Amino acid sequence: MTDAPVTSGLTPYLSIDGVTAAIAFYERAFAATAIDVRQTDSGDGRVIHAHLQINGAPLFMSDFFPDYGYPAVAPAAFMLHLQVADAQAWWDRAVAAGCTVKSPIKVEFWGDIYGQLSDPHGVTWAIGQTVAK
C-alpha cells in the first residue's frame, strides 16, 4: 500500500498493543480503511506505522516499542469523537463488533444524539449526530 497524503489539520496517533488486531477490529466496528501498514523487519509482527481512514479522517497507529523507549501504557485522558449523519447505525455496528457501552446513545441536553463506547484495545470513542433544530 502507498501512504496517502493527510489532508486534515490534526491526526490522532495511537500506540496500541496489537495494532494488527486493532486494524481488523476498526474495519468491522468503524468501517475503517487501511491506507498503509508498515511492519518492522524484526520478524515479531509489530507494526511501526499504520494509516487508517475512518469517516473521512486519518488515524495513525503503531505497536508499542519498549525496546526503543515506548513502553506499553493503557490509553487514558482522551477519546476519539466521530461526528456522523446516522449515529444509531454507527453505534449499532460498533457494539455488534465488540465495543462496550460507557454512556448510552441518546439525545443529550444540548440537543445532539451522543454516546460513548470503549473498544477492546482500551480506546474510548464518542459517536455524535447533530439534530436539526
Side-chain angles (χ1 to χ4, degrees):
M1 290 181 234
T2 303
D3 202 12
V6 175
T7 57
S8 70
L10 177 68
T11 302
Y13 204 119
L14 306 178
S15 291
I16 293 179
D17 189 20
V19 166
T20 300
I23 291 169
F25 181 80
Y26 293 158
E27 288 172 339
R28 289 189 315 277
F30 302 114
T33 302
I35 305 299
D36 185 29
V37 179
R38 301 175 194 174
Q39 293 187 318
T40 67
D41 58 6
S42 63
D44 61 7
R46 288 184 295 171
V47 173
I48 195 164
H49 176 73
H51 174 178
L52 304 183
Q53 188 166 40
I54 299 175
N55 194 33
L59 174 65
F60 290 173
M61 297 188 308
S62 72
D63 277 298
F64 291 111
F65 286 87
D67 39 332
Y68 292 100
Y70 299 97
V73 294
F78 73 92
M79 78 174 72
L80 300 177
H81 179 87
L82 292 166
Q83 190 70 18
V84 297
D86 185 348
Q88 191 65 57
W90 281 76
W91 183 269
D92 292 345
R93 181 179 53 222
V95 170
C99 283
T100 57
V101 176
K102 289 185 78 164
S103 176
I105 192 167
K106 63 184 183 282
V107 177
E108 290 289 357
F109 66 90
W110 61 87
D112 288 354
I113 298 169
Y114 180 85
Q116 293 180 6
L117 303 162
S118 181
D119 74 29
H121 304 281
V123 177
T124 298
W125 295 79
I127 297 178
Q129 175 183 342
T130 302
V131 176
K133 299 186 175 32

